[in-house]
Amino acid sequence: MKDHIKLVANNKKAYHDYFIDDKYEAGIELFGTEVKSVRMGKCSVKEAFVKIENGQVYVYGMHISPYEKGNIFNKDPLRVRKLLLHKAEIMKLNGKVTQKGYTLVPLQVYFKGSLVKVEIGLARGKKLYDKRADLAKKDQRRELEKDFKVKNLY
């Protein structure tokens, strides 16, 4: 029961805008009031992105609402937060990101036991025609499921 996972925030837009090639689990450096706010589900990663700067990984644009009872201990909701990864993982990611077309995006924020974790994805940007093809596939699958459901009713 130690690795009980509770999803806090999900980035559905990332799957629409990018091809996710690889996923990594990272810890995140937070203050107490931020953890309490995340525990209440007040976290968003929709506009967030991840950057590697001089051997450290940071997440930008991740919004954690201020904790109501936090008063002076509250931090800026959009501050830059450090992600915790092993050095070998950081070097590997840095090598991939320097290649053309790769970027790092946060996919979801969740609790693993009592720890806040962020799943980051190594992603390639989708072109407009890729997005259209995905939507067409989704519609086609939905139609098939609908037809199958209708056939099973009779």
Side-chain angles (χ1 to χ4, degrees), residues 100-132:
K100 184 177 175 276
Y102 276 109
T103 186
L104 292 170
V105 289
L107 301 174
Q108 57 187 15
V109 178
Y110 55 92
F111 276 97
K112 189 171 185 182
S114 62
L115 304 174
V116 180
K117 299 286 185 178
V118 179
E119 185 177 60
I120 58 175
L122 185 65
R124 287 179 292 128
K126 281 187 183 178
K127 303 279 190 254
L128 187 60
Y129 56 83
D130 290 327
K131 292 178 190 178
R132 285 187 186 136

Side-chain angles (χ1 to χ4, degrees), residues 28-47:
I28 185 165
E29 195 175 76
L30 296 174
F31 288 94
T33 53
E34 291 176 320
V35 175
K36 288 179 181 184
S37 195
V38 169
R39 212 171 272 289
M40 292 169 61
K42 301 202 168 152
C43 176
S44 172
V45 287
K46 286 196 177 19
E47 300 297 318

Side-chain angles (χ1 to χ4, degrees), residues 12 15 20 32 36 40 46 56 64 66 73 99 105 109 123 129 131 144:
K12 291 180 185 174
Y15 291 98
I20 308 298
K36 288 179 181 184
M40 292 169 61
K46 286 196 177 19
Q56 301 292 330
I64 297 178
F73 299 106
Q99 289 179 12
V105 289
V109 178
Y129 56 83
K131 292 178 190 178
L144 282 170

Side-chain angles (χ1 to χ4, degrees), residues 49-104:
F49 60 96
V50 178
K51 265 183 156 179
I52 299 174
E53 293 171 356
N54 43 0
Q56 301 292 330
V57 184
Y58 297 96
V59 63
Y60 291 82
M62 180 176 161
H63 188 277
I64 297 178
S65 299
Y67 183 58
E68 298 107 46
K69 299 178 180 84
N71 59 42
I72 61 165
F73 299 106
N74 279 331
K75 302 290 179 197
D76 177 28
L78 287 171
R79 76 180 182 85
V80 178
R81 294 173 179 90
K82 185 176 172 183
L83 294 180
L84 309 170
L85 285 161
H86 290 284
K87 192 149 213 85
E89 287 179 316
I90 295 172
M91 300 307 270
K92 184 179 174 185
L93 285 173
N94 199 18
K96 295 266 187 174
V97 169
T98 52
Q99 289 179 12
K100 184 177 175 276
Y102 276 109
T103 186
L104 292 170

